[in-house]
Amino acid sequence: EINCLISVNESAVLNMYEGVTVTGSAAMGQAGGIALEGTSVFNMYGGTIQDCTSISVAGGVHIVNTATFNMYGGVIQRCTGMQGGGVGFDGAPIGGSTYGSATFNMYDGEIKDCKEEWLGGGGISAYTASPITVNINGGKITSCIGGGSGYGGAVVVYATHSDSVVKINSGEIFGNNAQYGGGIFAYGGNITIADGVAIYNNTAEGAGDDIYCNGEVNFTVGQVGSNLKLSSTNHIIDGWYHDMEPRYNHDDPDTITPYENVGVLDTSEFALKAAHKKIIPVEDINLNLEDKVIELKEKQL
């Protein structure tokens, strides 16, 4: 167990494996757990980063300059920060794309129970003017909170550099909470959500339980994930639905409007929920059938 900040500088490589725990550190000007700078690389194959706090940047792992964090496994949990609870990027611009980008690749593992106290992004905060790259190719982000301004329980994207790209290709994002965008909040940059990504059962007090977009964003939304169920009703999710005020209501078909722009770039404001159409109770169907049978019998007589 390691109870301190680990700083990885220049071109150093840090590998972390099962059985290692980084925990309990608190920092003012640096990350609570792992700080990456220069062209350094952090490969997380296993282990746990937990209970780390920063009052200025990311609580768990903070990525600066052209450093790279590859998450192949392990857990980042109960971390709190001001620029990402679990993972965050530095906000200072470093020039053009010739410098490369700060990069986070998530292949597996889990980010959970983390909280951001400033803008939002309890799991991941891509809030920076630097060029960055985020690829989520697996793993889970769950039970994270977008505190502060209340944006993005799991992920905030406000990466304003033209070369910044956030791609969510696979994985699960569920059970997260914020005021707007319980799963994902996007305000600027380029973000793509591929077909079949499991973004569901997140909650937002304002709007956009699963996705909220409000800004100049090149946003591609894929088809909703398959074989997913709403925890509130146990009904199978069948698509994306608008989730603006008035709030989505399972019993009111007038507020259940399908989102039709799947697969295209959309730079307007929208709020989405992975949800289902209104389902007629079985007893109502049986009653209707009985009425028809009685009607036919009367006509025969």
Side-chain angles (χ1 to χ4, degrees), residues 78-91:
R78 300 193 304 270
C79 292
T80 303
M82 295 290 283
Q83 252 180 276
V87 177
F89 295 84
D90 188 76

Side-chain angles (χ1 to χ4, degrees), residues 7 39 44 60 67 90 127 132 183 187 193 205 232-233 264 298:
S7 183
T39 59
M44 187 174 183
D90 188 76
Y127 179 77
I132 66 165
Y187 188 70
I193 299 174
E205 283 75 22
S232 58
T233 62
V264 302
E298 286 176 349

Side-chain angles (χ1 to χ4, degrees), residues 23-36:
T23 185
S25 58
M28 284 190 65
Q30 299 187 75
I34 310 287
L36 305 176

Side-chain angles (χ1 to χ4, degrees), residues 5-25:
L5 166 70
I6 298 176
S7 183
V8 188
N9 299 302
E10 298 180 353
S11 59
V13 177
L14 172 67
N15 295 324
M16 182 173 174
Y17 300 94
E18 284 296 332
V20 176
T21 300
V22 176
T23 185
S25 58

Side-chain angles (χ1 to χ4, degrees), residues 57-71:
V57 293
V61 179
H62 186 55
I63 310 167
V64 181
N65 305 132
T66 60
T68 299
F69 173 26
N70 297 313
M71 188 173 185

